[in-house]
C-alpha cells in the first residue's frame, strides 16, 4: 500500500461529551463493531471514577491502563480508525483540549435528557476555533428526554452550529420505538434491552408505506411523516462540504447502552468523516501526502512510579511516513533525535512499530526532550500552529516549604509545566510563582508529584484571579506602562509573554475598554 492509500484509509477522531452523557459506552460499542474488543465492559472497567473529587491516586493508579487506552485503533469496513480518548473528569479538561488538536473530526455525545451542558459548551468552543467537523449523537433516547425539536434548537443556539438530522426518533423513553433513517429510508426498530440486528431494519420505499403503520402504529406513523416532512423541507440534503468545514453537524439519535443507532452513525462516519488534512504551520501549510515526515507532540504522560522516570510523548503524524530508528529534527531544540522503540496503541497490546502514517499517533519514550506543541520534521524548520494554551480557571501562589530544595522545585515545576499539567506564571516585578489549572484536582496532583518525584514540599495559597489573558500591542510603550501600573495583576507566562490576570469579568472588561491599544487574547499559541 502506498502512502496515499494509507492516508485515505485513516480516520482520526475523538468522542467528546459532558461527563455521564455516554462517551465511554459509545466508545465501547464502536470498539465492538471494530472487533477491537470482544466483550462489553472492557472499556468501562478502565474508566476513571469521575465523581471522586479528591481521589487522584485512583486516577494515577489507573494511568497505566489509561496510557494503553489513550488511542484505540480498529479497522472497520476497510478503514483504519484512530479513536483518541479524552479524560472524563472535568479537572483534566485541558488534556481534552489538547487532544482535540490531534484529531481530524469529533463525535459529540449529548444526553437527550440534559441537553447542552457546561462541558459540552466548552469543548465545542475549542472545536469551533479549529472548524473541526462534528457529528452529534443524541444519546439515551430510551429515557424521557426533551422534545426533540426543542433539543435541536437548544443545541444549535448554544453551540452555534447548524444541525442536520440524519435519523429521526419515534418517541422517547418507554415509548421509544426506534429511528427512521432519513437518508437511507429505513426504519430501525427498538426493543429495550436487546441489541438491534439486521432483522430490525426495515427498508421502505417511501414514508407513505403502510408497513410503518403496522410496525409503529398509526398515530406514531402520522407523527413521523409530519416530522420528516418538516425536517426535509428545512434541511434538504446534507452538503458534505458544510460538514467538513464545521458549519453543519449531522445528527443521529440513539441509545448507546442498547447499542441502538450506533452503527447507523458509524456507517455514515466512515464515509463522510475527513481523512487527515493539511495543517497550518509557521511557514505555510503541510499536506499529509508531502513526502517528508512531520508531526507534533500533543500530550505527555508521566510515569508516576518514581523508579521509572520516563515519560511517553504522544506524536501525531501529519505528513510523510514516520520510521523507527530514523533521525528526525527536533525543531525547538535544533537537535537530531531518533526513536528505537516507538509504539502504536493498537488494541490490546502496545506494539513496537516500524512505521506510521498521517493520522496515526505514535508513543515515544521521552527522557525530558519534549514539551507540548513540539514539532518533529525531516530537517525543515517550522512548527505546527493551532495548539493553543487556554486560560486556567484557578490560580494559586506556589509556596516553597523547604528552601533547601529550591533547585529541585524549579526543575520539577519546569518539567510538570512542560507536560502541560499546569501553567506557570511569574508575577512582574517579583518572583511570586503562580500556578494556573483548570481544576482543584490538578493542584493535588502537582503537590504530590513535586514531593514524590523531586523531593520538593510545597503548598498553595489561593489567589483571587479568574482568568488569564495574553497581551499584545503594536504600541510597546503602552504595553510596558500597563504592565508597570498593573503589577498586581500582570505576570509573564513560562515563555516570557505578558499576561493580565483578571479578578472578575467586570475588571477585565474595564481594562479592555480603558486600553484600546492593547489586545487581550483568550488563548495563546504555545509557540508564537
Ligand atoms: P461518560 O463516559 O460520558 O461519562 O458516560 P458513560 O458512558 O459512563 O455513561 C454514563 C451513564 O449513562 C452510565 O450509567 C451508562 O450506563 C448510562 N448510559 C449510557 N448510554 C445510555 C443510554 O443510551 N440510555 C441510558 N438509559 N443510559 C445510558 P451508570 O449508572 O453511571 O453506570 P453503569 O452502572 O451503567 O456502568
Amino acid at each position: 500500500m502506498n502512502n496515499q492509500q494509507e492516508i485515505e484509509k485513516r480516520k482520526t477522531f475523538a468522542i467528546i461529551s459532558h461527563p455521564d452523557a455516554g462517551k465511554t459506552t459509545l466508545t465501547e460499542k464502536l470498539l465492538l463493531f471494530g472487533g477491537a474488543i470482544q466483550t462489553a465492559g472492557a472499556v468501562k472497567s478502565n474508566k476513571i471514577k469521575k465523581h471522586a473529587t479528591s481521589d487522584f491516586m485512583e486516577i494515577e493508579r489507573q494511568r497505566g491502563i489509561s496510557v494503553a487506552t489513550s488511542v484505540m485503533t480498529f479497522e472497520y469496513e476497510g478503514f483504519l480508525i484512530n479513536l483518541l480518548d479524552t479524560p472524563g473528569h472535568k479537572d483534566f479538561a485541558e488534556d481534552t483540549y489538547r487532544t482535540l488538536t490531534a484529531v481530524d473530526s469529533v463525535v459529540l455525545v449529548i444526553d437527550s435528557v440534559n441537553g447542552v451542558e457546561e462541558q459540552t459548551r466548552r469543548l465545542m468552543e475549542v472545536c469551533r476555533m479549529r472548524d473541526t467537523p462534528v457529528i452529534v449523537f443524541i444519546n439515551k433516547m430510551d429515557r424521557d428526554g426533551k422534545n426533540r425539536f426543542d433539543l435541536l434548537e437548544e443545541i444549535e443556539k448554544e453551540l452555534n452550529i447548524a444541525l442536520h438530522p440524519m435519523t429521526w426518533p419515534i418517541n422517547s423513553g418507554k415509548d421509544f420505538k426506534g429511528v427512521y433513517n432519513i437518508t437511507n429510508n429505513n426504519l430501525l426498530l427498538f426493543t429495550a434491552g436487546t441489541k438491534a440486528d439486521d432483522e430490525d431494519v426495515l427498508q421502505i420505499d417511501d414514508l407513505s408505506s403502510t408497513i410503518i403503520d403496522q410496525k409503529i402504529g398509526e398515530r406514531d406513523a402520522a407523527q413521523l411523516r409530519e416530522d420528516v416532512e418538516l425536517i426535509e423541507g428545512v434541511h434538504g440534503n446534507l452538503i458534505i462540504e458544510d460538514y467538513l468545514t464545521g458549519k453543519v453537524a449531522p445528527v443521529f439519535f440513539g441509545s448507546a447502552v442498547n447499542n441502538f443507532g450506533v452503527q447507523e452513525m458509524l456507517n455514515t462516519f466512515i464515509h463522510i468523516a475527513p481523512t487527515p488534512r493539511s495543517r497550518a504551520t509557521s511557514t505555510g501549510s503541510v499536506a499529509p501526502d508531502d513526502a517528508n515526515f512531520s508531526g507534533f507532540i500533543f500530550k505527555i504522560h508521566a510515569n508516576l512510579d518514581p523508579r521509572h522516570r520516563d515519560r511517553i510523548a504522544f506524536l501525531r503524524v501529519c505528513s510523510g511516513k514516520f520510521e523507527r530508528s530514523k533521525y528526525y529534527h527536533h525543531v525547538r531544540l535544533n537537535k537530531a533525535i531518533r526513536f528505537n522503540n516507538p509504539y502504536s496503541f493498537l488494541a490490546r497490546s502496545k506494539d513496537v512499530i516500524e512505521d506510521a502514517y498521517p493520522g496515526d499517533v505514535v508513543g515515544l519514550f521521552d527522557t525530558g526532550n519534549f514539551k507540548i506543541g513540539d514539532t518533529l520534521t525531516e530537517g525543515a524548520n517550522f512548527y505546527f500552529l493551532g495548539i493553543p494554551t487556554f486560560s486556567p480557571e484557578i490560580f494559586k501562589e506556589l509556596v516553597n516549604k523547604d528552601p533547601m530544595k529550591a533547585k529541585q522545585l524549579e526543575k520539577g515545576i519546569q518539567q510538570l509545566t512542560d507536560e502541560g499539567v499546569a501553567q506557570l506564571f511569574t508575577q512582574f516585578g517579583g518572583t511570586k510563582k503562580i500556578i494556573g489549572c483548570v481544576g482543584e484536582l490538578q493542584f493535588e496532583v502537582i503537590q504530590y508529584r513535586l514531593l514524590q518525584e523531586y523531593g520538593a514540599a510545597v503548598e498553595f495559597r489561593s489567589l483571587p484571579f479568574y482568568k488569564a489573558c495574553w497581551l499584545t500591542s503594536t504600541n510597546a510603550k503602552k504595553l510596558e506602562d500597563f504592565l508597570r501600573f498593573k503589577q498586581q495583576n500582570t505576570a509573564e507566562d513560562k515563555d516570557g509573554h505578558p499576561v493580565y490576570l483578571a479578578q472578575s469579568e467586570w475588571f477585565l472588561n474595564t481594562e479592555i475598554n480603558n486600553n484600546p491599544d492593547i489586545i487581550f487574547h483568550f488563548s495563546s499559541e504555545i509557540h508564537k
Side-chain angles (χ1 to χ4, degrees):
M1 207 176 269
N2 63 32
N3 279 18
Q4 193 58 36
Q5 286 167 322
E6 293 285 358
I7 295 165
E8 277 162 20
K9 246 179 89 169
R10 281 163 168 77
K11 309 265 176 180
T12 300
F13 82 112
I15 303 179
I16 54 175
S17 77
H18 186 85
D20 261 353
K23 179 173 76 73
T24 313
T25 314
L26 183 64
T27 301
E28 187 171 287
K29 302 304 173 194
L30 292 175
L31 294 182
L32 282 169
F33 281 119
I37 53 171
Q38 258 70 46
T39 52
V43 178
K44 195 95 194 163
S45 60
N46 293 341
K47 194 167 151 174
I48 291 166
K49 277 197 200 118
K50 52 192 174 264
H51 304 299
T53 47
S54 67
D55 197 3
F56 80 87
M57 284 311 292
E58 172 69 5
I59 290 172
E60 297 310 340
R61 191 184 63 74
Q62 299 204 19
R63 261 193 134 147
I65 309 166
S66 71
V67 168
T69 56
S70 288
V71 185
M72 291 159 274
T73 302
F74 61 96
E75 294 208 31
Y76 182 73
E77 303 271 321
F79 289 95
L80 198 138
I81 299 170
N82 292 312
L83 169 51
L84 274 53
D85 193 24
T86 54
H89 202 293
K90 75 165 177 34
D91 284 13
F92 295 91
E94 189 146 359
D95 222 28
T96 303
Y97 303 155
R98 280 192 294 260
T99 298
L100 292 180
T101 65
V103 300
D104 298 310
S105 71
V106 303
V107 168
L108 169 66
V109 184
I110 289 183
D111 180 329
S112 68
V113 183
N114 296 332
V116 174
E117 297 173 86
E118 186 200 340
Q119 201 56 5
T120 330
R121 237 172 256 124
R122 295 167 57 194
L123 291 166
M124 270 301 286
E125 265 171 42
V126 180
C127 292
R128 312 286 296 142
M129 285 175 66
R130 313 181 61 244
D131 295 326
T132 308
V134 180
I135 290 179
V136 176
F137 185 80
I138 298 183
N139 192 28
K140 307 198 186 179
M141 289 308 296
D142 59 320
R143 295 185 55 197
D144 287 319
K146 299 187 175 190
N147 171 294
R148 44 244 136 129
F149 284 107
D150 291 349
L151 185 58
L152 293 189
E153 197 181 315
E154 174 185 324
I155 300 171
E156 288 201 326
K157 237 205 226 127
E158 295 230 15
L159 303 183
N160 186 25
I161 190 163
L163 299 181
H164 189 109
M166 305 295 283
T167 61
W168 193 250
I170 300 144
N171 304 327
S172 65
K174 59 179 180 349
D175 296 327
F176 182 51
K177 292 188 179 161
V179 292
Y180 177 72
N181 190 321
I182 300 173
T183 333
N184 300 345
N185 291 338
N186 61 34
L187 195 62
L188 183 66
L189 294 173
F190 176 73
T191 322
T194 58
K195 178 176 168 291
D197 59 32
D198 293 346
E199 281 170 29
D200 295 321
V201 183
L202 288 182
Q203 193 64 43
I204 41 188
D205 297 333
D206 80 65
L207 262 176
S208 58
S209 163
T210 52
I211 304 175
I212 303 181
D213 300 71
Q214 287 161 21
K215 291 288 176 187
I216 64 174
E218 279 175 26
R219 193 176 54 92
D220 288 335
Q223 185 66 50
L224 177 66
R225 290 186 186 108
E226 197 179 303
D227 289 354
V228 172
E229 196 180 329
L230 189 69
I231 293 159
E232 284 183 329
V234 174
H235 298 280
N237 288 333
L238 174 71
I239 299 166
I240 308 284
E241 194 51 31
D242 288 346
Y243 156 68
L244 291 174
T245 48
K247 293 192 186 79
V248 170
V251 180
F252 292 83
F253 290 85
S255 169
V257 80
N258 290 295
N259 204 353
F260 188 84
V262 177
Q263 198 164 17
E264 266 68 25
M265 185 194 68
L266 181 58
N267 286 342
T268 304
F269 170 86
I270 53 168
H271 288 116
I272 67 170
T275 52
R277 300 193 283 179
S278 294
R279 285 184 170 251
T281 77
S282 54
T283 57
S285 97
V286 167
D289 57 1
D290 196 300
N292 292 322
F293 157 77
S294 68
F296 67 91
I297 304 295
F298 65 93
K299 176 173 175 150
I300 296 173
H301 237 298
N303 194 334
L304 265 224
D305 183 343
R307 284 164 303 174
H308 302 279
R309 285 276 284 272
D310 54 343
R311 312 191 288 186
I312 295 160
F314 289 64
L315 171 82
R316 149 88 198 209
V317 180
C318 296
S319 69
K321 178 174 162 184
F322 171 90
E323 288 172 72
R324 176 183 177 188
S325 301
K326 185 167 168 178
Y327 276 102
Y328 290 117
H329 177 54
H330 187 311
V331 178
R332 181 175 56 87
L333 299 182
N334 188 22
K335 138 175 175 183
I337 187 164
R338 70 173 169 171
F339 307 93
N340 292 326
N341 294 303
Y343 66 77
S344 76
F345 299 87
L346 277 166
R348 269 168 280 153
S349 61
K350 284 189 287 183
D351 298 320
V352 169
I353 51 145
E354 295 302 324
D355 46 37
Y357 296 88
D360 287 343
V361 173
V362 181
L364 305 174
F365 285 105
D366 174 37
T367 47
N369 282 315
F370 287 124
K371 65 179 187 179
I372 307 275
D374 276 345
T375 298
L376 287 178
T377 67
E378 281 195 38
N381 274 315
F382 64 76
Y383 50 82
F384 285 95
L385 300 176
I387 313 165
T389 307
F390 297 97
S391 173
E393 285 163 31
I394 307 171
F395 297 82
K396 293 189 182 191
E397 183 185 347
L398 178 74
V399 182
N400 184 0
K401 289 207 313 196
D402 182 358
M404 301 294 286
K405 295 280 171 62
K407 253 201 176 129
Q408 285 89 329
L409 174 59
E410 188 67 30
K411 183 167 176 226
I413 210 71
Q414 286 299 326
Q415 293 204 349
L416 293 190
T417 47
D418 278 356
E419 278 174 35
V421 176
Q423 291 180 52
L424 172 67
F425 303 96
T426 312
Q427 199 151 34
F428 271 113
T431 49
K432 194 195 270 184
K433 284 195 167 31
I434 300 168
I435 300 289
C437 292
V438 175
E440 285 289 347
L441 209 48
Q442 284 165 303
F443 287 100
E444 279 184 51
V445 172
I446 294 165
Q447 193 176 35
Y448 177 85
R449 289 190 54 189
L450 284 174
L451 190 62
Q452 295 298 314
E453 295 173 37
Y454 303 92
V458 299
E459 61 186 20
F460 293 103
R461 235 174 256 155
S462 292
L463 292 171
F465 305 127
Y466 97 111
K467 195 172 257 176
C469 288
W470 283 264
L471 304 175
T472 57
S473 178
T474 47
N475 188 332
K477 172 87 174 59
K478 284 257 164 68
L479 182 56
E480 200 181 297
D481 286 348
F482 180 83
L483 295 174
R484 196 150 34 97
F485 293 138
K486 301 282 170 191
Q487 262 187 26
Q488 287 303 315
N489 288 79
T490 51
E492 53 182 33
D493 74 3
K494 209 179 157 206
D495 301 318
H497 300 297
V499 169
Y500 171 68
L501 300 170
Q503 261 130 308
S504 69
E505 201 176 338
W506 184 86
F507 275 104
L508 178 60
N509 288 334
T510 308
E511 296 301 357
I512 291 173
N513 288 334
N514 290 347
N515 296 282
D517 292 319
I518 298 176
I519 306 170
F520 291 70
H521 303 267
F522 291 95
S523 74
S524 103
E525 286 282 333
I526 282 177
H527 301 279
K528 288 187 196 150

